[in-house]
Amino acid sequence: MLVELMTPMTLEVTLAVQRELEARAAEMDRLRRQHIERTRHDAELARRRYMKIDPDNRLVADTLEAEWNEKLRLHTDVVEDYERRAPEEAPALDAETQQRVRDLAEQFPRIWSDARIDVRERKRRQWRRCAASSRRLMTATGRWCRSSPAC
């Protein structure tokens, strides 16, 4: 069962999904960087407005200073969030790793049926396969049934 699932075609599909995830991560990174740039620009505009105000107009100056400080705080938070999330992003699979995955898929049936594998290990694998294919559930009445809608 596992040998049947580990084909080069299924791994190609998996690698295609990985590429799609990498593209989405790159798009998210681009959007985050744009957000950082917008908050930096907003903070700069707030600074300019504050610098242009007449010092005698203290009420307006205090309001503009508070606005500038808020924009700076927001920009700092956005930058910190970006820097915190950057290492968390999934690293992309390079071409060499993708080729190693393809090679493994081609070699997997041979490795799986290698005669040097201990008989106990083969039985354990067979038992796991059997258990996975014939899952059973106990109903409320105490009867065992297969985990299918027909139960």
Side-chain angles (χ1 to χ4, degrees), residues 44-129:
E44 180 60 26
L45 287 177
R47 184 191 71 79
R48 285 184 196 160
R49 281 193 298 266
Y50 174 72
M51 292 302 185
K52 287 183 178 181
I53 193 67
D54 181 15
D56 293 334
N57 196 346
R58 294 202 185 275
L59 184 59
V60 175
D62 288 345
T63 303
L64 290 176
E65 183 182 18
E67 181 184 325
W68 180 26
N69 287 332
E70 181 60 32
K71 300 286 184 178
L72 285 174
R73 228 182 334 271
L74 178 63
H75 176 68
T76 302
D77 291 347
V78 169
V79 169
E80 287 174 358
D81 183 54
Y82 177 78
E83 290 172 352
R84 187 185 76 244
R85 287 183 185 206
E88 295 173 2
E89 296 297 325
L93 292 178
D94 59 354
E96 179 186 344
T97 305
Q98 289 181 9
Q99 187 56 46
R100 287 175 54 203
V101 169
R102 287 184 194 101
D103 293 344
L104 178 62
E106 292 171 3
Q107 298 171 6
F108 189 77
R110 182 181 52 80
I111 294 169
W112 183 263
S113 58
D114 191 347
R116 293 176 289 181
I117 295 177
D118 185 30
V119 174
R120 287 189 333 221
E121 182 64 24
R122 286 178 197 253
K123 285 183 180 180
R124 182 170 39 230
R125 288 180 189 169
Q126 215 169 15
W127 180 85
R128 285 181 187 157
R129 198 172 344 143

